[in-house]
Amino acid sequence: MTFHMVEARGVEKRIGDQMILKGVDFNVRRGEVVSLIGPSGSGKSTFLRCINHLTKITSGYLAVDGEPVGYRRQNGKLYELSDAEIALSRAEIGMVFQRFNLFGHKTAIENIIEGPVQVRKQPIDGARQRARLLLDRVGLAAKADAYPAELSGGQQQRVAIARALAMDPKLMLFDEPTSALDPELVGEVLDVIKALASEGMTMLVVTHEMAFAREVCNRVAFLDDGRVVEEGTPDEVFGNPKSERARAFFARML
């Protein structure tokens, strides 16, 4: 069993003529909660999408739980995964987006069981039972039969978190999970993420919620222009940033 849940070495991502990631070196240990912070366009969301097989890296090495993302090792060689194999690998990684991406024509519980039934081929009755437990876990036990249009933004995001958890992921990725929410709804989503952290879930969170990063995260990484400029504990990075770019950013945000 590898020590690192996420391992990135020299990861680059080019889109057209633009280099989005410029040699990212970064690790996330098992059970660790790490926040990625930085200005818009710094590559944070692209890096998450690479980890979750949604975007293919241009060069470098990227692995989750010791397995190269998008490839499998066999007899000492790397083979590119088929679409079906990628879907199964992606099922091991939960991802919560800025927008909730719920199926509007399905109820909360139907959204949650979609992955377990369609991808993991779980029996529908068992998936429904688990989904109800997860809805209770995120404080929405009474909303199982509600449609997304009947839920607030914070409730929709909590359903999206329950949907990701239904796949029993070994890693959770959050891409600015509160940025689309009204301010009064942010806390209810962050409380769910805090509870997951207390349970030992390995998480990588792109966020602008500095107080959350200080309180919950083991480490903070500051990205700028496609590179990890600095990283350390929240106290180290927020309290004594070493780069001028980070100092200027935190002066604005804090």
Side-chain angles (χ1 to χ4, degrees):
M1 185 172 71
T2 179
F3 181 63
H4 290 123
M5 181 61 76
V6 178
E7 184 179 1
R9 298 199 303 265
V11 168
E12 295 185 337
K13 174 61 184 177
R14 181 187 296 276
I15 299 178
D17 294 332
Q18 188 175 9
M19 190 70 84
I20 308 298
L21 301 177
K22 303 176 181 179
V24 172
D25 294 305
F26 184 71
N27 297 317
V28 179
R29 294 186 286 272
R30 291 178 178 279
E32 197 174 33
V33 182
V34 180
S35 60
L36 290 180
I37 290 172
S40 297
S42 58
K44 306 182 301 295
S45 295
T46 298
F47 185 55
L48 286 197
R49 292 177 65 84
C50 291
I51 294 171
N52 202 33
H53 302 260
L54 294 171
T55 297
K56 188 176 178 181
I57 66 174
T58 303
S59 62
Y61 177 79
L62 181 62
V64 172
D65 199 18
E67 292 298 319
V69 173
Y71 297 86
R72 58 182 163 82
R73 286 194 185 92
Q74 188 173 327
N75 300 325
K77 295 183 179 180
L78 288 179
Y79 295 88
E80 195 163 356
L81 297 181
S82 67
D83 289 345
E85 288 173 318
I86 286 174
L88 286 174
S89 295
R90 190 180 293 137
E92 301 285 322
I93 305 169
M95 187 154 181
V96 177
F97 299 87
Q98 297 177 39
R99 299 290 172 179
F100 324 119
N101 293 352
L102 299 177
F103 293 112
H105 65 290
K106 293 180 181 289
T107 63
I109 197 167
E110 288 169 343
N111 268 280
I112 292 169
I113 69 172
E114 180 77 11
V117 171
Q118 298 299 326
V119 178
R120 296 227 187 260
K121 308 302 180 186
Q122 293 178 4
I124 193 167
D125 288 345
R128 278 184 171 275
Q129 186 176 4
R130 176 86 196 290
R132 290 190 183 279
L133 292 173
L134 289 169
L135 281 169
D136 184 54
R137 185 175 176 184
V138 298
L140 293 173
K143 299 293 186 180
D145 297 319
Y147 289 90
E150 300 170 323
L151 301 172
S152 71
Q155 290 171 333
Q156 289 185 62
Q157 193 63 296
R158 284 186 281 158
V159 171
I161 293 172
R163 177 181 59 184
L165 293 173
M167 299 295 282
D168 291 318
K170 54 191 173 186
L171 169 67
M172 285 286 287
L173 306 175
F174 293 88
D175 188 3
E176 297 190 33
T178 61
S179 65
L181 301 179
D182 292 332
E184 67 270 20
L185 302 177
V186 169
E188 64 189 55
V189 173
L190 293 182
D191 285 345
V192 172
I193 301 174
K194 289 176 187 177
L196 292 175
S198 70
E199 295 164 10
M201 173 67 75
T202 308
M203 295 189 286
L204 186 55
V205 186
V206 171
T207 184
H208 290 299
E209 299 290 339
M210 301 299 155
F212 166 81
R214 274 186 183 274
E215 179 185 352
V216 178
C217 296
N218 306 106
R219 279 192 302 127
V220 173
F222 178 76
L223 269 72
D224 185 44
D225 194 28
R227 296 182 176 88
V228 177
V229 176
E230 57 185 284
E231 62 179 294
T233 67
D235 285 345
E236 290 169 343
V237 175
F238 292 134
N240 187 29
K242 297 178 177 61
S243 67
E244 180 58 38
R245 190 70 183 88
R247 284 195 292 272
F249 178 81
F250 293 135
R252 288 200 312 275
M253 296 299 293
L254 299 174

